[in-house]
Amino acid sequence: MALDATDAKVKSTFTGIGKAVVEFLVALMEYVAQLRPAEREYAEELLMPLLRISKEKASRLLAKASDLTARPVVLQALAEGRVDEGKALMIVELLQPLSAVQAATAEQVLLAHAENNAYSATRQYARRYIDRLDPTAAEHRHQEKREQRKVEKTNLDDGMASLRLIMPALDTALAFDHIDAIARGLPKDGRALDQKRVDVALDLLLGKETGAPQGQVTVNLTMAISSLIGMDDDPAILQGHGPLPIKIARDVAAGGIWKRILTDPVTGIAEDVTTYRPTTKQRELIAARYPHCTMIGCRQPVHRCDLDHCCPFNGSNTSVDNLRPKCRRHHRMKHETSWQCHNLEDGRHVWTTPEGKTYESEIEPIGEPAPF
């Protein structure tokens, strides 16, 4: 079978999944609607033996059916294969705190973005877009979530368990950077970096010596000068995470060390960084312009990526125009397979598959484009 035909079959089958999901959810809501009011409270108990599923699974299916069928525009996009189930559920979830008017506007915008981007990219775009619609509500939601911070222990197989901390993103970034810096400062001893991070975190929690200097903790926040001085309330961007309520960023700014990043007024894309050391300047500008691996759909944050020379290094082409972040997997893919990539003049990165298909990655603005 030709590759084009295989591609078409894979895509049509994937689209068919969305259509089948919609048909099932609609049928499920029709099933519940036919029950007597007193029985609807126990719909899960009817689905458990019918579908051979647990009560928890039945409850999740009913909630999903209720949420998605309440948004016919999103449901239609799922049925037509323009978005998959994960994106559809994500959009519905993010629309819930908005007013009816705001949700109707945001729905179309987010669907348009989701049709051409991966889940994580759309989620970050959506969070920033929604936070800009109502910054006060965004701050209120953050405070509500902050009240729900907790520590969870989950037992795993083979004598293992996980310890999960749910806390504000800024605190998480600071804590991770602290653990990571100590782990990287330890001597080579056969442990992988992830293993060292776990051991360091455990030592810190138990009050033990970590075996390496604790160093300075650093996080990168980006915000418009207009937001910093209170002219507007557009959210800041926490590198490796996404939008952050501007009030939090202003509090951090009061005691932080800042560098000016110039952006293109039309696109909002980073153009220059005011620093004094060229090598550092290049890295900072690339990190501001490309916060993730530049492989289509990959969201590995830039601080975990290599800076790849898109055109092979020739002694004089270590420049912002030629450097792009790639995670180790996709850096290796470029060099070890027949995948190819090159840069366009506007900063976009183009990948070519071994079969000759091309895909373009978009630059993520760090500022809002000028309204003209």
Side-chain angles (χ1 to χ4, degrees), residues 145-146 148-154 162-169 171-173 175-176 179 201-202 204-205:
K145 292 293 185 181
R146 190 177 184 279
Q148 299 171 21
R149 61 192 185 278
K150 58 183 176 180
V151 178
E152 294 178 337
K153 181 178 79 70
T154 303
S162 68
L163 187 66
R164 185 168 74 136
L165 286 73
I166 301 176
M167 56 188 187
D171 293 337
T172 304
F176 180 85
I179 292 168
L202 184 59
L204 290 172
L205 286 170

Short mmCIF file of all heavy atoms in Angstrom, two decimals, residues 145-146 148-154 162-169 171-173 175-176 179 201-202 204-205:
data_model
loop_
_atom_site.label_atom_id
_atom_site.label_comp_id
_atom_site.label_asym_id
_atom_site.label_seq_id
_atom_site.Cartn_x
_atom_site.Cartn_y
_atom_site.Cartn_z
N LYS A 145 -7.65 27.33 43.74
CA LYS A 145 -6.82 26.14 43.55
C LYS A 145 -5.71 26.09 44.60
O LYS A 145 -5.34 25.00 45.08
CB LYS A 145 -6.20 26.15 42.16
CG LYS A 145 -7.20 25.97 41.03
CD LYS A 145 -7.81 24.59 41.05
CE LYS A 145 -8.72 24.39 39.85
NZ LYS A 145 -9.35 23.05 39.84
N ARG A 146 -5.19 27.25 44.96
CA ARG A 146 -4.13 27.29 45.96
C ARG A 146 -4.61 26.74 47.29
O ARG A 146 -3.85 26.10 48.02
CB ARG A 146 -3.62 28.73 46.13
CG ARG A 146 -2.37 28.85 46.97
CD ARG A 146 -1.88 30.30 47.04
NE ARG A 146 -0.62 30.38 47.76
CZ ARG A 146 -0.53 30.39 49.09
NH1 ARG A 146 -1.62 30.33 49.84
NH2 ARG A 146 0.67 30.46 49.68
N GLN A 148 -6.44 24.34 47.65
CA GLN A 148 -6.57 22.89 47.53
C GLN A 148 -5.21 22.19 47.48
O GLN A 148 -5.12 21.01 47.15
CB GLN A 148 -7.37 22.55 46.26
CG GLN A 148 -8.78 23.11 46.27
CD GLN A 148 -9.48 22.96 44.93
OE1 GLN A 148 -9.11 22.13 44.11
NE2 GLN A 148 -10.50 23.78 44.70
N ARG A 149 -4.12 22.90 47.77
CA ARG A 149 -2.80 22.28 47.73
C ARG A 149 -2.74 21.13 48.73
O ARG A 149 -3.34 21.18 49.81
CB ARG A 149 -1.71 23.32 48.01
CG ARG A 149 -1.78 24.00 49.36
CD ARG A 149 -0.86 25.21 49.41
NE ARG A 149 -0.79 25.82 50.73
CZ ARG A 149 -1.69 26.68 51.19
NH1 ARG A 149 -2.73 27.04 50.45
NH2 ARG A 149 -1.55 27.19 52.41
N LYS A 150 -2.00 20.10 48.37
CA LYS A 150 -1.96 18.91 49.22
C LYS A 150 -0.78 18.03 48.82
O LYS A 150 -0.11 18.24 47.80
CB LYS A 150 -3.26 18.12 49.10
CG LYS A 150 -3.60 17.67 47.69
CD LYS A 150 -4.94 16.96 47.66
CE LYS A 150 -5.33 16.59 46.23
NZ LYS A 150 -6.65 15.91 46.18
N VAL A 151 -0.53 17.03 49.65
CA VAL A 151 0.47 16.00 49.39
C VAL A 151 -0.27 14.67 49.32
O VAL A 151 -1.10 14.37 50.18
CB VAL A 151 1.54 15.95 50.50
CG1 VAL A 151 2.54 14.84 50.22
CG2 VAL A 151 2.24 17.29 50.63
N GLU A 152 0.02 13.89 48.28
CA GLU A 152 -0.65 12.61 48.10
C GLU A 152 0.38 11.49 48.01
O GLU A 152 1.41 11.63 47.35
CB GLU A 152 -1.48 12.60 46.81
CG GLU A 152 -2.65 13.55 46.81
CD GLU A 152 -3.41 13.53 45.49
OE1 GLU A 152 -2.82 13.14 44.46
OE2 GLU A 152 -4.60 13.90 45.51
N LYS A 153 0.09 10.37 48.66
CA LYS A 153 0.92 9.18 48.55
C LYS A 153 0.11 8.09 47.86
O LYS A 153 -1.02 7.81 48.24
CB LYS A 153 1.38 8.68 49.93
CG LYS A 153 2.28 7.44 49.87
CD LYS A 153 2.73 7.02 51.25
CE LYS A 153 1.65 6.25 51.99
NZ LYS A 153 1.40 4.90 51.42
N THR A 154 0.69 7.52 46.80
CA THR A 154 0.02 6.45 46.06
C THR A 154 0.91 5.23 46.04
O THR A 154 2.08 5.30 45.65
CB THR A 154 -0.26 6.89 44.61
OG1 THR A 154 -1.05 8.09 44.63
CG2 THR A 154 -1.01 5.80 43.84
N SER A 162 4.52 6.55 45.05
CA SER A 162 4.77 7.91 44.55
C SER A 162 4.30 8.92 45.58
O SER A 162 3.31 8.69 46.28
CB SER A 162 4.05 8.15 43.22
OG SER A 162 2.65 8.18 43.40
N LEU A 163 5.03 10.02 45.66
CA LEU A 163 4.67 11.12 46.55
C LEU A 163 4.46 12.34 45.68
O LEU A 163 5.38 12.79 44.99
CB LEU A 163 5.80 11.38 47.55
CG LEU A 163 5.52 12.39 48.66
CD1 LEU A 163 4.45 11.87 49.60
CD2 LEU A 163 6.80 12.69 49.44
N ARG A 164 3.25 12.86 45.67
CA ARG A 164 2.91 13.97 44.77
C ARG A 164 2.52 15.20 45.57
O ARG A 164 1.68 15.12 46.47
CB ARG A 164 1.77 13.56 43.84
CG ARG A 164 1.43 14.61 42.79
CD ARG A 164 0.50 14.06 41.72
NE ARG A 164 -0.86 13.89 42.22
CZ ARG A 164 -1.95 14.25 41.54
NH1 ARG A 164 -1.84 14.76 40.33
NH2 ARG A 164 -3.14 14.06 42.05
N LEU A 165 3.13 16.33 45.22
CA LEU A 165 2.79 17.61 45.85
C LEU A 165 2.02 18.45 44.84
O LEU A 165 2.49 18.68 43.73
CB LEU A 165 4.06 18.36 46.28
CG LEU A 165 4.82 17.87 47.52
CD1 LEU A 165 5.57 16.58 47.20
CD2 LEU A 165 5.78 18.93 48.02
N ILE A 166 0.84 18.90 45.22
CA ILE A 166 0.05 19.79 44.38
C ILE A 166 0.12 21.17 45.01
O ILE A 166 -0.41 21.40 46.11
CB ILE A 166 -1.40 19.30 44.27
CG1 ILE A 166 -1.43 17.89 43.67
CG2 ILE A 166 -2.22 20.26 43.40
CD1 ILE A 166 -2.81 17.27 43.61
N MET A 167 0.78 22.10 44.32
CA MET A 167 1.02 23.42 44.89
C MET A 167 1.18 24.43 43.76
O MET A 167 1.22 24.05 42.59
CB MET A 167 2.26 23.38 45.79
CG MET A 167 3.52 22.89 45.12
SD MET A 167 4.86 22.68 46.32
CE MET A 167 6.24 22.30 45.25
N PRO A 168 1.25 25.74 44.08
CA PRO A 168 1.34 26.75 43.03
C PRO A 168 2.51 26.52 42.09
O PRO A 168 3.58 26.06 42.50
CB PRO A 168 1.49 28.05 43.82
CG PRO A 168 0.79 27.78 45.12
CD PRO A 168 1.09 26.34 45.42
N ALA A 169 2.29 26.86 40.81
CA ALA A 169 3.28 26.59 39.77
C ALA A 169 4.61 27.28 40.05
O ALA A 169 5.69 26.71 39.81
CB ALA A 169 2.74 27.03 38.42
N ASP A 171 5.95 28.12 42.99
CA ASP A 171 6.63 27.40 44.06
C ASP A 171 7.20 26.08 43.54
O ASP A 171 8.30 25.66 43.91
CB ASP A 171 5.67 27.12 45.22
CG ASP A 171 5.23 28.39 45.92
OD1 ASP A 171 5.96 29.40 45.83
OD2 ASP A 171 4.15 28.39 46.54
N THR A 172 6.44 25.41 42.67
CA THR A 172 6.90 24.15 42.10
C THR A 172 8.15 24.35 41.26
O THR A 172 9.10 23.57 41.33
CB THR A 172 5.79 23.52 41.24
OG1 THR A 172 4.61 23.36 42.03
CG2 THR A 172 6.22 22.17 40.70
N ALA A 173 8.15 25.42 40.46
CA ALA A 173 9.31 25.71 39.61
C ALA A 173 10.53 25.99 40.47
O ALA A 173 11.64 25.52 40.18
CB ALA A 173 9.02 26.90 38.70
N ALA A 175 11.07 24.96 43.59
CA ALA A 175 11.47 23.73 44.28
C ALA A 175 12.20 22.79 43.32
O ALA A 175 13.24 22.20 43.68
CB ALA A 175 10.24 23.04 44.86
N PHE A 176 11.67 22.65 42.10
CA PHE A 176 12.32 21.74 41.14
C PHE A 176 13.71 22.25 40.77
O PHE A 176 14.67 21.48 40.68
CB PHE A 176 11.47 21.58 39.89
CG PHE A 176 12.11 20.67 38.87
CD1 PHE A 176 11.93 19.29 38.95
CD2 PHE A 176 12.90 21.17 37.85
CE1 PHE A 176 12.53 18.44 38.04
CE2 PHE A 176 13.50 20.32 36.93
CZ PHE A 176 13.32 18.95 37.02
N ILE A 179 16.11 21.42 43.55
CA ILE A 179 16.48 19.99 43.53
C ILE A 179 17.40 19.69 42.36
O ILE A 179 18.42 19.00 42.49
CB ILE A 179 15.21 19.12 43.46
CG1 ILE A 179 14.41 19.25 44.77
CG2 ILE A 179 15.56 17.66 43.19
CD1 ILE A 179 13.02 18.67 44.69
N ALA A 201 15.77 15.12 46.69
CA ALA A 201 14.47 15.52 47.24
C ALA A 201 14.20 14.81 48.56
O ALA A 201 13.71 15.43 49.53
CB ALA A 201 13.37 15.22 46.23
N LEU A 202 14.52 13.54 48.62
CA LEU A 202 14.30 12.78 49.85
C LEU A 202 15.20 13.30 50.97
O LEU A 202 14.74 13.47 52.12
CB LEU A 202 14.57 11.29 49.60
CG LEU A 202 14.29 10.35 50.78
CD1 LEU A 202 12.82 10.45 51.19
CD2 LEU A 202 14.64 8.91 50.41
N LEU A 204 16.35 16.32 51.30
CA LEU A 204 15.82 17.62 51.73
C LEU A 204 14.59 17.45 52.62
O LEU A 204 14.44 18.14 53.63
CB LEU A 204 15.48 18.47 50.51
CG LEU A 204 16.67 18.97 49.68
CD1 LEU A 204 16.17 19.63 48.39
CD2 LEU A 204 17.51 19.97 50.49
N LEU A 205 13.71 16.54 52.24
CA LEU A 205 12.49 16.32 53.01
C LEU A 205 12.80 15.75 54.40
O LEU A 205 12.11 16.06 55.38
CB LEU A 205 11.54 15.38 52.27
CG LEU A 205 10.81 15.98 51.06
CD1 LEU A 205 10.10 14.88 50.27
CD2 LEU A 205 9.80 17.02 51.52
#
